[in-house]
């Protein structure tokens, strides 16, 4: 993962580390979901207008990818039931929740 080369100490709670974590979490979500767009039916990403674009089960996999970055367990309860209608919706919903959990583990 590209964030391994980041110079900011992400284990310390400060504005720089918080911004790095937030940007990295967003990039990781987008990367995972964009990579899966070519395999839409295999990973639960749909272009069918009657179904969510991103299934909630896929987001559970995204959380597993993000956990090593934030160094804490991310509960599935932060996932919106029924899925998401765009990658932007995933980002705008999950990133703030992940940051609240990360901040709570920094205290």
């Amino acid at each position: 993962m590209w964030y391994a080369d980041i110079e900011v100490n992400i284990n310390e709670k400060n504005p720089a580390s918080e911004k790095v974590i937030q940007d990295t979490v967003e990039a990781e979500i987008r990367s995972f979901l964009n990579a899966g767009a070519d395999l839409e039916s295999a990973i639960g990403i749909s272009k069918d207008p009657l179904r969510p674009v991103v299934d909630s089960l896929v987001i559970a996999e995204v959380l597993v990818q993000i956990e090593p970055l934030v160094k804490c367990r991310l509960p599935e309860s932060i996932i919106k039931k029924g899925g998401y209608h765009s990658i932007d919706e995933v980002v705008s919903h999950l990133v703030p929740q992940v940051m609240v959990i990360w901040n709570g583990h920094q205290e």
Side-chain angles (χ1 to χ4, degrees), residues 57-71:
L57 295 175
V58 173
I59 301 305
E61 292 181 43
V62 170
L63 295 184
V64 170
Q65 294 292 316
I66 295 171
E67 285 177 347
L69 169 64
V70 295
K71 297 182 178 165

Side-chain angles (χ1 to χ4, degrees), residues 33 37 40 43-56 58 82-90:
L33 296 177
E40 66 179 75
I43 68 163
I45 294 178
S46 171
K47 294 180 182 166
D48 180 345
L50 300 177
R51 290 181 37 204
V53 172
V54 184
D55 187 278
S56 56
V58 173
Y84 299 85
H85 294 285
S86 70
I87 292 174
D88 288 337
E89 183 183 4
V90 173

Side-chain angles (χ1 to χ4, degrees), residues 3 10-11 21 25 60-76 78 94-107:
Y3 54 81
I10 61 172
N11 295 317
I21 291 292
V25 166
E61 292 181 43
V62 170
L63 295 184
V64 170
Q65 294 292 316
I66 295 171
E67 285 177 347
L69 169 64
V70 295
K71 297 182 178 165
C72 61
R73 183 163 173 345
L74 299 172
E76 290 183 10
I78 67 173
L94 278 186
V95 171
Q97 293 192 62
V98 169
M99 293 310 296
V100 165
I101 294 167
W102 180 80
N103 278 315
H105 280 80
Q106 300 306 305
E107 297 175 358

Side-chain angles (χ1 to χ4, degrees), residues 4-36:
D5 297 330
I6 296 170
E7 304 253 344
V8 174
N9 183 351
I10 61 172
N11 295 317
E12 293 179 13
K13 185 176 180 182
N14 62 62
S17 64
E18 187 168 346
K19 179 69 172 141
V20 168
I21 291 292
Q22 182 174 336
D23 290 349
T24 306
V25 166
E26 178 176 344
E28 193 70 22
I29 291 169
R30 289 185 186 281
S31 174
F32 185 91
L33 296 177
N34 284 327

